[in-house]
Amino acid sequence: MIDLHLHSIYSDGTSTPKELVEQGVRLGLRAIALTDHDTVNGIDELSAAAKEQRMDFIPGVELSAGTFSLRKDHQKEVHILGYFPRWDDKLKSALEPLRQVQSWREERNRSIVEKLRSYHVPVTYEELVELAGSNNVGRPHFAHWLIENGYAHTVSEAFQQFLTPDALTFTERKTFDIAGSIDLIRSAGGVAVLAHPKALHIFSDDDFENFLKGMVDKGLEGIEVYCSVHLPADIRRYERMAQKFNLIMTGGTDFHGKMKPDIRMGYGFGYTRVDDSVYDKLKAKLDSKKQ
Ligand code: AMP
Ligand code: FE
Ligand code: FE
Ligand code: ZN
């Protein structure tokens, strides 16, 4: 078993990269990948811990690539995973543009803080950084602050009231678009993979194939077939899509620790398992890209 979609304290997870490796060893996982939102700041720590525990790992990232809209009442965030053949200085410098994404994120966060404060919700940016355990604050951290301070009962209520595009206190975050995100991953020598496709809510096969074809034309090479939110019928659907577009299939749970307490590493909501063979195939693809 493997898990190729994990978040750490460097984005909106609650485990350190070292804890992820240790937990992976306890679960008997053969390999893991760290895929924090828009940052590789946790990979040095992951690499050191993985070496110590002799566990295989893949350096990764999950990029927000703007939104996709099928109709007027449909608007979904596109997330693209990047997996890389090795962790070295060359990769680090190729991924320097992620600093821009970090500063867009900080601008957006400070703007949401201002708007919340103007509605008499006395949050500060510093409290969010403290809650997040890093500078990479995300909306899930806002949601948890709002719950802890009595402004919402649940994460989805916090989002609905304060953090979705309809909310008065929301501010859109600038990101690279789909083409820009795929280019960034590929120019760093990585494989670009569409994350949790079910979350796009594209229910017709024709619509989904059109969308996917657009991404493949831009350089997409994989699709996350196995993940927590995919039921067996979804897995069959995305396996079929992968075959049709000759995409590599990847899988992981999107583990966030206490930020999403229902998702367990390795098992998702309980019924997810990602086979070792998925790792072998991705690894072979990544090796073929090494210059
Ligand atoms: P950010 O990258 O800071 O804009 O936050 C995006 C993250 O918020 C996503 O990765 C989701 O995990 C989470 N999210 C987005 N919309 C919702 C929602 N309606 N309910 C719960 N979580 C959400
Ligand atoms: Fe997240
Ligand atoms: Fe995601
Ligand atoms: Zn994720």
Side-chain angles (χ1 to χ4, degrees), residues 149-175:
N149 290 278
Y151 293 90
H153 292 97
T154 61
V155 170
S156 54
E157 192 185 308
F159 267 86
Q160 258 164 37
Q161 293 290 323
F162 300 103
L163 303 168
T164 53
D166 297 335
L168 294 169
T169 46
F170 176 78
T171 301
E172 188 114 35
R173 176 161 69 92
K174 288 199 206 88
T175 62

Side-chain angles (χ1 to χ4, degrees), residues 17-18 20-22 25 31-32 43-58:
K18 185 164 183 273
L20 292 175
V21 170
E22 288 165 357
V25 169
I32 61 173
I43 308 283
D44 275 331
E45 215 177 299
L46 177 82
S47 167
K51 240 174 230 139
E52 202 177 297
Q53 301 280 341
R54 294 200 180 78
M55 178 184 244
D56 285 351
F57 78 98
I58 295 178

Side-chain angles (χ1 to χ4, degrees), residues 19-131:
E19 287 165 346
L20 292 175
V21 170
E22 288 165 357
Q23 178 72 358
V25 169
R26 274 197 293 278
L27 293 172
L29 300 186
R30 155 118 180 269
I32 61 173
L34 181 60
T35 54
D36 275 314
H37 295 289
D38 307 309
T39 183
V40 288
N41 288 346
I43 308 283
D44 275 331
E45 215 177 299
L46 177 82
S47 167
K51 240 174 230 139
E52 202 177 297
Q53 301 280 341
R54 294 200 180 78
M55 178 184 244
D56 285 351
F57 78 98
I58 295 178
V61 70
E62 180 175 19
L63 300 182
S64 306
T67 57
F68 170 73
S69 184
L70 198 56
R71 301 174 303 270
K72 213 161 155 268
D73 59 344
H74 174 276
Q75 194 194 16
K76 293 288 163 191
E77 276 186 40
V78 180
H79 287 183
I80 301 175
L81 295 159
Y83 294 111
F84 302 97
R86 62 168 104 71
W87 179 239
D88 58 14
D89 287 341
K90 208 174 134 199
L91 175 59
K92 286 182 211 182
S93 59
L95 293 176
E96 281 285 317
L98 290 178
R99 283 181 199 281
Q100 173 70 71
V101 186
Q102 298 303 307
S103 79
W104 283 332
R105 176 181 285 282
E106 181 169 340
E107 272 170 39
R108 188 278 314 257
N109 289 338
R110 288 188 183 276
S111 165
I112 294 181
V113 166
E114 282 318 306
K115 287 182 184 172
L116 283 167
R117 292 180 67 83
S118 78
Y119 282 90
H120 306 287
V121 180
V123 63
T124 64
Y125 182 69
E126 290 66 33
E127 282 172 283
L128 292 165
V129 170
E130 165 134 15
L131 190 150

